[in-house]
Amino acid sequence: MSDILRVDGISCRFGGLLANNDISFGVEEGAIMGLIGPNGAGKSTLFSIIAGDRRPTAGRLHYAGRDVTGWRPHQAARAGVGRTFQLMRVFGSMTVAENLATAAYLRHRRRRDAQRRAEEVIAEVGLGELADAPAASLTAGWKKRLEMARAVAVEPRLLLLDEVLSGLTPAEANEAVGIVRRLNERGITVLMVEHVMEIIMPLCDRVVVLDHGEKICAGPPAEVVRDPAVIEAYLGREA
Ligand code: ADP
Ligand code: MG
C-alpha cells in the first residue's frame, strides 16, 4: 500500500515557539494511525496544517500523490480530508441533521444531496434517535459523536480525529471505537489523537509520538510503548 499522506519536514512557528519542529512521517492508505504525546506537543497544530486550517512555516505536505502544502480548508474537504476539532464546532441551535447537512455541503452543491448524505451519516454513526434534536441539548458524549459525524459527512478518504474519545464513558468510548473500526473497514484511512494507551494499542497499526513539537518516535504501538524516550516524555508522567 502507498502513503495517502506524507508530512515532510513540517514546522510551525508561533512567535518564539516551534509548535511543530521538522516533523516527517507517512500515513499508509487504509491504516489506522495514532498520534500521541503530552499536552502542548503540537498534535492539534499538525492536524490544522494537514486539514488546511493553518499554513506550515516550513516543510511540504503531500496528499494522494499531490503536493498540497498551504491548501485551504475547503480544498482539503473536497479532496476527502475530514477533521474533528478538539474544541467542537457544532452549531447548538441547529438540529443534529441540520449540522450534518451543513457539513455535507462542503462536498455536495445540491441541498437534496447534502441532506441525503446527512441521513447516511446519521445511520453510520448511530445518531438516528437524535436526528431532530437541537445539538445544544445533547450530552457531552453525544456531542462528541456529532463532531465525529460532522467530519465523516464530507465522505473522507482520510479522517483526522482529535481526542474524540476523551470525556466519554467507557461504554460510549467502546461504541466510538467500534465506529472508527467500521469506517476504517470501508476504506477510510484514520489518523487519530488519543491519550488512552489501552485504546491505541489494539486499534492502531502504527503510532507517531510528538513531544515539544518534535517527533521522538514512530512504529507499531507495542514497540513505541517500550521506547525509553516515549516513557520519559509521556507514559512516565502519567504513571
Ligand atoms: P497538542 O494538541 O499536542 O496539545 P497544540 O498543537 O494545541 O498541542 O499546541 C502546541 C503548542 O502551540 C502549545 O504550546 C500551544 O500553546 C501553542 N499554540 C497552539 N496554537 C497556538 C496559536 N494559535 N498561537 C500561539 N500558540 C499556539
Ligand atoms: Mg490538541
Side-chain angles (χ1 to χ4, degrees), residues 14 17 19-20 37-46 54 86 162-163:
F14 296 116
L17 178 83
N20 287 165
N39 277 332
K43 306 178 296 292
S44 295
T45 301
L46 187 58
R54 188 171 289 290
Q86 198 174 349
D162 199 350
E163 302 198 24

Side-chain angles (χ1 to χ4, degrees), residues 69-112:
T69 313
W71 65 354
R72 307 294 305 142
H74 67 275
Q75 294 173 310
R78 281 195 197 128
V81 177
R83 80 165 294 189
T84 67
F85 289 87
Q86 198 174 349
L87 298 173
M88 292 178 280
R89 298 212 170 167
V90 162
F91 299 108
S93 60
M94 286 189 192
T95 67
V96 165
E98 287 164 351
N99 265 285
L100 296 176
T102 304
Y105 269 123
L106 286 166
R107 271 322 261 285
H108 297 284
R109 303 244 160 126
R110 284 193 299 173
R111 204 165 96 162
R112 218 174 340 145

